[in-house]
Amino acid sequence: MVALRDERTRSAALESDLAGERARLAKHGDSDPKSGLHHFEFFKKLLVLELKRARRYGYSLAACLVALDEGRLVGVPDGPRAELTAQVARAIKATVRDIDMAVDYAGGHVLVFLPHTDLVGAERAGRRMESAVRDTSGVDFE
């Protein structure tokens, strides 16, 4: 009983830390308004908490890296390229769960964090994302 109480106290403290961090980052903007992708700084903070939680409770974590085919983007002006990136981001976000996080990792790359997801689930999520991006934008994956 004592151990369970201690774990609940630690879990509540982590939840409080996470809520405080989300509030702080929301004040500064934790995501890009056009694409809806979270900023990498926000992701790093959340990842630390999720790793601790996953170790403690023994659940799986996965991530998918979505990279647009740069060959198809050569010569595309910045304006249309930004719109295409936003379109891809929206397609990805539409295919993942509410607890998953799509992050603007680097130009043309989207990192999707999948808590409570094993390798098989991550593969399925990756296929769904690939299909959604192709259907929405005609962009190929690397």
Side-chain angles (χ1 to χ4, degrees), residues 34 68 72-73 76 78-90 133 136-139:
K34 185 167 182 152
L68 300 178
R72 300 220 27 206
L73 297 176
V76 176
D78 287 342
R81 187 178 186 139
E83 178 52 39
L84 181 61
T85 302
Q87 189 177 7
V88 167
R90 288 188 296 271
V133 169
T136 301
S137 63
V139 174

Side-chain angles (χ1 to χ4, degrees), residues 2 16 28 32 51 56 72 78 82 99 105 131:
V2 172
S16 177
H28 300 291
D32 180 89
L51 285 171
R56 178 173 291 125
R72 300 220 27 206
D78 287 342
I99 65 169
Y105 181 65
S131 178

Side-chain angles (χ1 to χ4, degrees), residues 84-103:
L84 181 61
T85 302
Q87 189 177 7
V88 167
R90 288 188 296 271
I92 290 170
K93 288 183 63 108
T95 64
V96 298
R97 304 167 299 181
D98 290 340
I99 65 169
D100 299 334
M101 178 184 286
V103 179

Side-chain angles (χ1 to χ4, degrees), residues 47-63:
L47 181 61
V48 170
L49 295 172
E50 284 292 340
L51 285 171
K52 289 177 183 178
R53 195 176 294 149
R55 267 190 231 124
R56 178 173 291 125
Y57 298 112
Y59 63 81
S60 300
L61 298 174

Side-chain angles (χ1 to χ4, degrees), residues 1 11-12 15 17 19-20 31 38 42-43 45 47-48 65 75 88 93-94 96 99 101 108 110 120 126 132 136 138:
M1 294 284 281
S11 178
E15 290 294 334
D17 289 349
S31 62
H38 291 279
F42 177 76
F43 168 72
K45 303 278 187 188
L47 181 61
V48 170
L65 182 63
V88 167
K93 288 183 63 108
V96 298
I99 65 169
M101 178 184 286
V110 177
V120 173
T136 301

